[in-house]
Amino acid sequence: MVKQDKRIDLRVTEAEIELLDEYCELVGKNRTDVLREFIRSLKKKMRNAKEYSI
């Protein structure tokens, strides 16, 4: 079975895209790589949120 990637279209403000581009330049990565890394980091953020929730 072939795994199909999904596509996300996202609307952002000019300020948000400038911030993303500035970060990408700083770390030497493209937008796609930075956004994928952020999405992957959500697992850890979710675990931390569950630990501190009431």
Side-chain angles (χ1 to χ4, degrees):
M1 179 182 250
V2 176
K3 181 179 167 187
Q4 296 258 331
D5 289 337
K6 302 296 182 187
R7 180 183 172 114
I8 296 175
D9 292 316
L10 177 68
R11 292 181 187 264
V12 295
T13 65
E14 186 67 32
E16 291 166 334
I17 203 71
E18 287 175 6
L19 181 60
L20 177 59
D21 286 343
E22 186 177 334
Y23 181 81
C24 289
E25 188 173 329
L26 179 69
V27 297
K29 297 181 180 180
N30 63 39
R31 291 175 181 171
T32 300
D33 290 340
V34 168
L35 293 172
R36 281 185 178 141
E37 287 177 2
F38 173 74
I39 291 169
R40 290 177 187 135
S41 77
L42 293 176
K43 243 184 199 178
K44 183 177 180 182
K45 293 176 188 287
M46 289 169 51
R47 278 195 307 266
N48 290 341
K50 287 177 185 177
E51 289 176 12
Y52 295 108
S53 65
I54 297 176

